Amino acid sequence: MKFFTCFLIVGFSSAVYSSDQSWKDDDGLEVTIIKKIDDSECDIKSAGGDVVDQYYKLSDEKGEEIGSNFGKKPYTFTLGKNQVIPGMDRAMRGMCIGEIRKVIIPPKLGFAKDSNGQPLYYTVQLVNLFRANPGERWVTEEGIQIEQTHKIEPEKCKKAEQGDKIYQQYVLRLEDNTLVDSSYSRNAPFVFRLRNREVIDGMDIAMDGMCEGERRRVVIPSEYGYGAQGSPPEIPGGARLFFEIVLEKLVKRDEL
Protein backbone atom coordinates (compact mmCIF):
# COMPACT_ATOMS: atom_id res chain seq x y z
CA MET A 1 0.00 0.00 0.00
CA LYS A 2 1.40 3.37 -1.00
CA PHE A 3 0.76 6.74 0.52
CA PHE A 4 1.31 10.10 -1.08
CA THR A 5 0.38 13.73 -0.35
CA CYS A 6 -2.42 15.55 -2.20
CA PHE A 7 -5.68 17.48 -2.64
CA LEU A 8 -8.51 17.67 -5.13
CA ILE A 9 -10.42 19.69 -7.72
CA VAL A 10 -14.07 19.02 -8.43
CA GLY A 11 -14.58 21.28 -11.42
CA PHE A 12 -12.57 23.32 -13.86
CA SER A 13 -12.73 27.02 -14.76
CA SER A 14 -10.86 29.02 -17.35
CA ALA A 15 -8.02 31.11 -15.96
CA VAL A 16 -7.88 34.89 -15.65
CA TYR A 17 -4.10 34.55 -15.32
CA SER A 18 -1.82 31.54 -15.05
CA SER A 19 1.81 30.53 -14.55
CA ASP A 20 3.69 27.51 -13.25
CA GLN A 21 3.58 28.91 -9.69
CA SER A 22 0.26 30.77 -9.47
CA TRP A 23 -3.10 31.14 -11.17
CA LYS A 24 -6.52 32.73 -10.77
CA ASP A 25 -9.65 31.22 -12.26
CA ASP A 26 -12.46 33.31 -13.66
CA ASP A 27 -14.69 32.47 -10.67
CA GLY A 28 -12.16 34.04 -8.30
CA LEU A 29 -10.24 31.03 -6.95
CA GLU A 30 -6.56 31.95 -6.51
CA VAL A 31 -3.72 29.45 -5.99
CA THR A 32 -0.01 30.10 -5.42
CA ILE A 33 2.54 27.30 -4.98
CA ILE A 34 4.97 28.31 -2.21
CA LYS A 35 6.76 24.97 -1.94
CA LYS A 36 7.07 23.18 -5.26
CA ILE A 37 8.15 19.54 -5.55
CA ASP A 38 10.43 18.73 -8.46
CA ASP A 39 8.90 16.41 -11.05
CA SER A 40 11.74 13.95 -10.50
CA GLU A 41 10.63 13.56 -6.87
CA CYS A 42 6.88 13.51 -7.53
CA ASP A 43 5.73 9.91 -8.01
CA ILE A 44 2.04 10.75 -8.26
CA LYS A 45 -0.26 13.78 -8.28
CA SER A 46 -3.60 13.98 -6.54
CA ALA A 47 -6.79 13.21 -8.44
CA GLY A 48 -10.45 12.46 -7.83
CA GLY A 49 -11.07 9.37 -5.72
CA ASP A 50 -7.80 9.61 -3.80
CA VAL A 51 -7.86 9.59 0.00
CA VAL A 52 -5.67 12.43 1.20
CA ASP A 53 -4.17 13.71 4.45
CA GLN A 54 -3.96 17.48 4.65
CA TYR A 55 -2.37 20.13 6.81
CA TYR A 56 -4.12 23.49 6.66
CA LYS A 57 -3.98 26.95 8.19
CA LEU A 58 -6.89 29.36 7.89
CA SER A 59 -6.05 33.07 8.26
CA ASP A 60 -7.86 36.38 7.98
CA GLU A 61 -7.05 38.95 5.30
CA LYS A 62 -4.35 40.47 7.53
CA GLY A 63 -2.59 37.11 7.90
CA GLU A 64 -3.71 36.48 11.49
CA GLU A 65 -4.22 32.77 12.15
CA ILE A 66 -7.80 31.61 12.76
CA GLY A 67 -7.18 27.88 12.94
CA SER A 68 -4.53 25.33 11.98
CA ASN A 69 -3.70 21.62 12.21
CA PHE A 70 -0.04 21.93 11.20
CA GLY A 71 1.99 19.77 13.57
CA LYS A 72 -1.15 17.93 14.68
CA LYS A 73 -3.21 15.12 13.18
CA PRO A 74 -3.82 15.69 9.44
CA TYR A 75 -7.35 16.13 8.13
CA THR A 76 -8.32 13.15 5.98
CA PHE A 77 -10.89 13.20 3.18
CA THR A 78 -11.63 11.69 -0.22
CA LEU A 79 -11.26 13.86 -3.29
CA GLY A 80 -14.37 14.38 -5.36
CA LYS A 81 -16.81 13.15 -2.69
CA ASN A 82 -18.12 16.55 -1.50
CA GLN A 83 -16.33 16.11 1.82
CA VAL A 84 -14.75 19.58 1.74
CA ILE A 85 -15.82 22.93 0.33
CA PRO A 86 -15.71 23.19 -3.50
CA GLY A 87 -12.88 25.71 -3.52
CA MET A 88 -10.64 23.43 -1.47
CA ASP A 89 -11.39 20.49 -3.76
CA ARG A 90 -10.44 22.54 -6.78
CA ALA A 91 -7.35 24.11 -5.28
CA MET A 92 -5.80 20.81 -4.21
CA ARG A 93 -5.94 18.86 -7.46
CA GLY A 94 -2.63 17.95 -9.05
CA MET A 95 -0.52 18.28 -5.89
CA CYS A 96 2.63 16.31 -5.14
CA ILE A 97 3.53 14.91 -1.73
CA GLY A 98 4.97 17.68 0.41
CA GLU A 99 3.74 20.50 -1.81
CA ILE A 100 2.45 23.65 -0.08
CA ARG A 101 0.04 26.15 -1.58
CA LYS A 102 -1.57 29.43 -0.59
CA VAL A 103 -5.22 29.51 -1.59
CA ILE A 104 -7.81 32.30 -1.66
CA ILE A 105 -11.32 30.88 -1.89
CA PRO A 106 -14.16 33.25 -2.86
CA PRO A 107 -17.42 33.07 -0.83
CA LYS A 108 -19.37 31.19 -3.51
CA LEU A 109 -16.78 28.35 -3.40
CA GLY A 110 -16.53 28.31 0.41
CA PHE A 111 -18.93 28.66 3.31
CA ALA A 112 -21.15 31.10 1.47
CA LYS A 113 -23.82 31.41 4.17
CA ASP A 114 -21.31 31.95 6.97
CA SER A 115 -18.60 34.02 5.31
CA ASN A 116 -20.36 37.43 5.19
CA GLY A 117 -19.08 37.78 1.66
CA GLN A 118 -15.44 37.45 2.72
CA PRO A 119 -12.94 35.15 1.00
CA LEU A 120 -11.11 32.40 2.88
CA TYR A 121 -7.30 32.53 3.11
CA TYR A 122 -5.68 29.10 3.41
CA THR A 123 -2.19 27.64 3.47
CA VAL A 124 -2.40 23.92 2.66
CA GLN A 125 0.02 21.02 2.42
CA LEU A 126 -0.57 17.55 1.03
CA VAL A 127 0.75 15.13 3.66
CA ASN A 128 -0.30 11.69 2.41
CA LEU A 129 -2.23 10.19 -0.48
CA PHE A 130 -3.79 6.76 -0.85
CA ARG A 131 -4.93 5.54 -4.27
CA ALA A 132 -7.01 2.37 -4.28
CA ASN A 133 -6.31 -0.72 -6.39
CA PRO A 134 -9.79 -2.35 -6.57
CA GLY A 135 -10.00 -6.13 -6.55
CA GLU A 136 -12.66 -8.83 -6.57
CA ARG A 137 -16.12 -9.32 -5.06
CA TRP A 138 -17.56 -12.54 -3.66
CA VAL A 139 -20.09 -13.97 -1.24
CA THR A 140 -18.99 -16.61 1.28
CA GLU A 141 -21.00 -19.75 1.95
CA GLU A 142 -22.24 -18.03 5.12
CA GLY A 143 -23.72 -15.20 3.05
CA ILE A 144 -21.08 -12.59 3.93
CA GLN A 145 -20.52 -10.13 1.08
CA ILE A 146 -16.89 -9.10 0.55
CA GLU A 147 -15.48 -6.50 -1.84
CA GLN A 148 -11.76 -5.73 -2.10
CA THR A 149 -11.67 -1.94 -2.28
CA HIS A 150 -7.88 -2.14 -2.29
CA LYS A 151 -6.14 -5.40 -3.09
CA ILE A 152 -2.54 -6.43 -2.50
CA GLU A 153 -0.82 -8.35 -5.26
CA PRO A 154 -0.14 -12.02 -4.36
CA GLU A 155 3.64 -11.69 -4.42
CA LYS A 156 3.43 -8.90 -1.81
CA CYS A 157 0.73 -10.44 0.38
CA LYS A 158 1.31 -11.17 4.07
CA LYS A 159 -1.85 -13.20 4.67
CA ALA A 160 -3.95 -13.35 7.86
CA GLU A 161 -4.56 -16.81 9.35
CA GLN A 162 -5.96 -18.26 12.55
CA GLY A 163 -4.10 -17.06 15.66
CA ASP A 164 -2.47 -14.06 13.97
CA LYS A 165 -2.62 -10.68 15.73
CA ILE A 166 -4.71 -8.24 13.72
CA TYR A 167 -4.47 -4.44 13.82
CA GLN A 168 -7.69 -3.30 12.18
CA GLN A 169 -9.20 0.05 11.29
CA TYR A 170 -12.94 -0.01 10.68
CA VAL A 171 -16.10 2.01 10.15
CA LEU A 172 -19.43 0.35 10.99
CA ARG A 173 -22.76 1.54 9.62
CA LEU A 174 -26.29 0.19 9.51
CA GLU A 175 -28.27 -0.40 6.31
CA ASP A 176 -29.72 3.14 6.44
CA ASN A 177 -26.14 4.51 6.60
CA THR A 178 -26.35 5.37 10.31
CA LEU A 179 -22.85 5.52 11.77
CA VAL A 180 -22.50 3.08 14.68
CA ASP A 181 -18.79 3.08 15.46
CA SER A 182 -15.34 3.78 14.04
CA SER A 183 -11.83 2.99 15.21
CA TYR A 184 -10.65 6.21 13.56
CA SER A 185 -12.53 8.24 16.19
CA ARG A 186 -10.20 6.74 18.83
CA ASN A 187 -7.03 7.38 16.81
CA ALA A 188 -5.96 3.77 17.31
CA PRO A 189 -6.56 0.45 15.53
CA PHE A 190 -8.70 -2.30 17.04
CA VAL A 191 -6.44 -5.24 17.99
CA PHE A 192 -7.51 -8.89 18.24
CA ARG A 193 -6.43 -12.46 17.47
CA LEU A 194 -8.01 -13.92 14.34
CA ARG A 195 -10.47 -16.79 14.81
CA ASN A 196 -9.93 -16.73 18.56
CA ARG A 197 -13.56 -15.85 19.41
CA GLU A 198 -12.59 -12.25 20.23
CA VAL A 199 -14.89 -10.64 17.62
CA ILE A 200 -18.21 -11.49 15.99
CA ASP A 201 -18.10 -14.60 13.80
CA GLY A 202 -18.71 -12.60 10.63
CA MET A 203 -15.60 -10.49 11.18
CA ASP A 204 -13.41 -13.55 11.72
CA ILE A 205 -14.71 -14.95 8.43
CA ALA A 206 -14.38 -11.64 6.57
CA MET A 207 -10.73 -11.13 7.56
CA ASP A 208 -9.50 -14.69 7.15
CA GLY A 209 -7.01 -14.69 4.26
CA MET A 210 -6.85 -10.89 4.09
CA CYS A 211 -3.47 -9.34 3.22
CA GLU A 212 -1.68 -6.75 5.32
CA GLY A 213 -2.56 -3.38 3.79
CA GLU A 214 -5.70 -4.69 2.12
CA ARG A 215 -9.02 -2.86 2.38
CA ARG A 216 -12.45 -4.47 2.19
CA ARG A 217 -16.10 -3.49 2.19
CA VAL A 218 -18.05 -6.16 4.07
CA VAL A 219 -21.75 -6.86 4.67
CA ILE A 220 -22.38 -9.29 7.54
CA PRO A 221 -25.83 -10.88 8.02
CA SER A 222 -27.28 -10.67 11.50
CA GLU A 223 -26.75 -14.36 12.30
CA TYR A 224 -23.00 -13.79 12.02
CA GLY A 225 -23.21 -10.40 13.75
CA TYR A 226 -25.33 -9.60 16.79
CA GLY A 227 -28.27 -11.86 15.96
CA ALA A 228 -31.91 -11.37 16.76
CA GLN A 229 -31.10 -9.63 20.06
CA GLY A 230 -28.87 -6.98 18.48
CA SER A 231 -26.67 -4.77 20.64
CA PRO A 232 -29.00 -2.06 21.97
CA PRO A 233 -29.30 0.81 21.62
CA GLU A 234 -26.94 1.22 18.64
CA ILE A 235 -27.63 -2.03 16.78
CA PRO A 236 -31.23 -3.30 16.51
CA GLY A 237 -32.07 -6.97 16.45
CA GLY A 238 -31.70 -8.68 13.08
CA ALA A 239 -29.57 -5.86 11.66
CA ARG A 240 -27.09 -6.43 8.85
CA LEU A 241 -23.72 -4.81 9.50
CA PHE A 242 -21.93 -2.72 6.88
CA PHE A 243 -18.18 -2.46 7.49
CA GLU A 244 -15.29 -0.67 5.81
CA ILE A 245 -12.17 -2.44 7.12
CA VAL A 246 -8.41 -2.07 6.74
CA LEU A 247 -5.84 -4.64 7.82
CA GLU A 248 -3.34 -2.02 8.93
CA LYS A 249 -0.80 -4.35 10.51
CA LEU A 250 -0.42 -8.11 10.87
CA VAL A 251 1.74 -10.05 13.32
CA LYS A 252 1.97 -13.75 12.50
CA ARG A 253 1.22 -16.24 15.24
CA ASP A 254 4.78 -17.57 15.26
CA GLU A 255 6.13 -14.01 15.67
CA LEU A 256 4.19 -13.34 18.88
Side-chain angles (χ1 to χ4, degrees):
M1 176 168 58
K2 286 189 175 182
F3 286 86
F4 306 88
T5 310
C6 81
F7 288 97
L8 116 97
I9 304 181
V10 170
F12 295 92
S13 296
S14 57
V16 174
Y17 67 80
S18 178
S19 72
D20 289 342
Q21 295 290 123
S22 64
W23 59 93
K24 181 178 181 179
D25 294 338
D26 58 5
D27 58 6
L29 179 68
E30 297 184 58
V31 179
T32 300
I33 300 174
I34 59 174
K35 180 182 178 182
K36 184 176 176 62
I37 305 301
D38 190 86
D39 288 344
S40 64
E41 299 177 356
C42 183
D43 295 327
I44 193 170
K45 294 186 178 183
S46 55
D50 293 341
V51 179
V52 300
D53 289 344
Q54 173 204 48
Y55 283 145
Y56 68 86
K57 182 177 75 172
L58 174 62
S59 305
D60 62 21
E61 60 183 343
K62 297 180 180 179
E64 295 294 324
E65 182 179 309
I66 297 172
S68 173
N69 72 341
F70 274 88
K72 302 175 184 177
K73 183 184 178 187
Y75 178 58
T76 301
F77 60 93
T78 302
L79 305 180
K81 296 293 185 180
N82 297 318
Q83 295 178 2
V84 293
I85 55 176
M88 183 62 74
D89 270 358
R90 284 250 310 277
M92 306 313 298
R93 182 178 293 270
M95 289 186 79
C96 300
I97 296 172
E99 185 175 326
I100 301 176
R101 294 179 175 182
K102 282 191 175 294
V103 180
I104 302 176
I105 300 175
K108 62 184 175 181
L109 298 178
F111 305 103
K113 294 181 180 179
D114 303 318
S115 62
N116 297 318
Q118 299 300 313
L120 301 171
Y121 299 85
Y122 278 98
T123 301
V124 292
Q125 181 174 26
L126 182 55
V127 181
N128 281 318
L129 178 157
F130 171 78
R131 182 165 293 172
N133 177 31
E136 301 177 354
R137 299 182 183 185
W138 68 93
V139 179
T140 71
E141 61 183 20
E142 297 87 0
I144 296 169
Q145 301 173 38
I146 299 175
E147 176 187 356
Q148 291 176 310
T149 55
H150 178 69
K151 70 177 182 180
I152 304 299
E153 299 303 330
E155 65 274 12
K156 299 179 181 179
C157 179
K158 184 179 181 181
K159 187 173 292 187
E161 300 173 301
Q162 183 174 4
D164 292 345
K165 192 172 186 178
I166 301 294
Y167 290 75
Q168 177 204 64
Q169 297 283 8
Y170 70 88
V171 177
L172 169 59
R173 297 181 184 274
L174 299 179
E175 195 155 6
D176 63 0
N177 207 37
T178 298
L179 177 64
V180 176
D181 191 22
S182 171
S183 62
Y184 294 103
S185 66
R186 293 182 287 277
N187 297 321
F190 177 56
V191 182
F192 64 96
R193 296 281 292 272
L194 186 63
R195 288 193 176 273
N196 199 42
R197 303 190 66 84
E198 297 179 14
V199 293
I200 57 174
D201 290 342
M203 186 57 71
D204 269 335
I205 295 168
M207 296 201 71
D208 198 4
M210 195 171 175
C211 301
E212 185 177 61
E214 186 178 334
R215 300 180 179 219
R216 292 182 175 182
R217 183 175 294 121
V218 177
V219 182
I220 298 175
S222 64
E223 55 266 37
Y224 291 95
Y226 293 96
Q229 75 278 7
S231 182
E234 293 86 2
I235 302 174
R240 293 199 298 168
L241 306 176
F242 293 73
F243 281 95
E244 300 274 353
I245 58 177
V246 181
L247 179 44
E248 189 172 83
K249 179 181 175 182
L250 171 64
V251 181
K252 299 298 294 180
R253 179 175 54 185
D254 58 7
E255 297 172 349
L256 294 171

